[in-house]
Amino acid sequence: MHSFDRRRALATLGALLATATTAQAQGSADWPSRPIRIIVPAPAGGPYDRTIRPLAQHMSQVLKQPVVIDNKTSAGNIVGTQMAAAAPPDGYTLVATGMLNTIAQSMYDGIGFDIVRDFEHIGTIGEGAQWLVVRPDAGVKDFADLLQQARREPGKFDYASSGAGSTGHLVMEQLQRATGVKLTHVPYKGGAPALQDVLAGVVPLTVIPLNSALAPVQAGKLKVLAVSSAQRSPLAPQVPTFAELGYPQLTISAWIGLSAPKGTPAPIVRRLHAALAAAQADPTTRKQLEFEGMTALSTTPEQYAQLVRSDTERWGQLVRSLNLKAN
């Protein structure tokens, strides 16, 4: 190529890049000019949905545009998250992401996206602890007694979970590794049937979130042996944390947050983060989080991206070591 042609080509490329940069900046300045969609990869009326809706309503007030919920139910939250990954990175399509995504990344083959690399992570919404519960008639006095009996008779105790690779399942796998006991996993298709069989006396143990455990615990139908939060729960201040019992590696909280497709302009991500933070500070949304057994968890986009990376690595190692595959 002659030097003149090369200069002309470089000038043309520079003009195209400048035009694209200007267009992106103008698009960011005009945003939002139409409704924003939050894909919730879970059923309408479920915990994810109930948590996100009050936040969306408050964010719409901050952003001066409707923020609508689009439920896309699937195993592992895959379908909705995949749709968001493929959406234009213009700030008009967001997705509720969570710890379940970091588990599913290693459990499912060919999901079509990478939860770490294919999103701009806006911020966390909240986190909730897991409660290790047992039926009162199971003959278990406390956590130490459970370990003592389980060591004496390996496999004596069954535990229910909402399915292979669920949060409860992985917590119990980590518990067994940390304590050296052997328990028998009984997977169910969802948390509701698992809890139903525990309450019916079919299985003695399970690990469930606060919003599922609280009512039967208060009714005396379940006894809490330990909680996975960093601090004791104010709803059960007499129950120790796993860390207090000597197992800090079992400090685990299931979290959810908000993400956008990779390439969403940084100014839009910052405005979305500010709107999310304002919604989290609203008393109504905080009360809804507490009702769902969660506490508000506010992070910067950078902190949320790091959480997604670290948990994808953490749970990926465990899933691979257990050879768990959902398909």
Side-chain angles (χ1 to χ4, degrees):
M1 182 183 290
H2 296 297
S3 59
F4 174 76
D5 293 334
R6 188 182 300 110
R7 287 196 301 270
R8 185 166 61 185
L10 290 172
T12 301
L13 178 60
L16 289 172
L17 290 173
T19 300
T21 301
T22 301
Q24 186 183 68
Q26 289 175 342
S28 299
D30 294 341
W31 181 92
S33 59
R34 55 187 171 87
I36 298 164
R37 174 178 64 149
I38 298 179
I39 298 175
V40 176
Y48 254 48
D49 186 74
R50 294 194 303 264
T51 299
I52 298 294
R53 283 185 185 273
L55 284 157
Q57 291 172 6
H58 196 90
M59 288 176 70
S60 70
Q61 297 171 18
V62 175
L63 297 169
K64 310 300 182 187
Q65 286 289 342
V67 179
V68 298
I69 301 298
D70 185 7
N71 297 95
K72 300 294 181 184
T73 306
S74 66
N77 290 5
I78 290 173
V79 171
T81 312
Q82 188 177 50
M83 290 177 64
D90 54 13
Y92 291 103
T93 299
L94 312 177
V95 62
T97 45
M99 194 175 83
L100 185 57
N101 291 107
T102 68
I103 297 170
Q105 191 69 48
S106 297
M107 279 194 61
Y108 292 82
D109 292 327
I111 61 176
F113 64 88
D114 187 299
I115 192 61
V116 176
R117 295 193 299 265
D118 293 338
F119 294 91
E120 305 291 347
H121 296 293
I122 297 163
T124 46
I125 293 170
E127 62 177 351
Q130 302 292 306
W131 292 31
L132 174 60
V133 296
V134 63
R135 282 198 335 275
D137 62 355
V140 176
K141 293 185 295 184
D142 53 25
F143 185 71
D145 185 40
L146 171 68
L147 297 187
Q148 185 178 40
Q149 291 190 54
R151 288 188 179 117
R152 190 166 57 242
E153 298 180 64
K156 172 184 178 180
F157 290 104
D158 296 342
Y159 73 90
S161 84
S162 59
S166 64
T167 303
H169 175 209
L170 297 188
V171 168
M172 291 299 275
E173 287 293 342
Q174 286 205 324
L175 184 151
Q176 291 176 87
R177 292 183 175 203
T179 62
V181 302
K182 176 62 178 174
L183 306 171
T184 302
H185 182 210
V186 183
Y188 287 79
K189 292 183 178 180
L195 178 58
Q196 182 178 359
D197 266 14
V198 172
L199 293 173
V202 178
V203 185
L205 291 163
T206 191
V207 172
I208 53 177
L210 168 62
N211 62 323
S212 299
L214 189 57
V217 167
Q218 290 177 335
K221 297 178 180 179
L222 291 175
K223 179 167 62 175
V224 190
L225 300 182
V227 295
S228 71
S229 51
Q231 308 293 332
R232 292 193 181 200
S233 170
L235 297 172
Q238 76 283 5
V239 178
T241 66
F242 283 116
E244 288 180 274
L245 294 167
Y247 302 100
Q249 64 269 54
L250 296 177
T251 301
I252 298 165
S253 287
W255 45 264
I256 58 172
L258 204 58
S259 304
K262 188 70 175 180
T264 301
I268 291 178
V269 172
R270 286 196 296 270
R271 290 189 63 189
L272 284 166
H273 177 261
L276 174 60
Q280 287 175 299
D282 178 69
T284 301
T285 56
R286 294 182 78 89
K287 185 175 291 187
Q288 183 63 32
L289 280 169
E290 292 170 3
F291 179 77
E292 296 301 334
M294 306 187 79
T295 56
L297 176 64
S298 183
T299 61
T300 65
E302 293 77 16
Q303 289 170 331
Y304 187 30
Q306 177 56 38
L307 175 61
V308 173
R309 280 193 298 271
S310 61
D311 265 22
T312 299
E313 181 178 351
R314 175 186 190 179
W315 297 120
Q317 289 177 349
L318 183 58
V319 165
R320 288 188 292 272
S321 71
L322 295 170
N323 197 29
L324 291 175
K325 281 294 179 184
N327 54 5

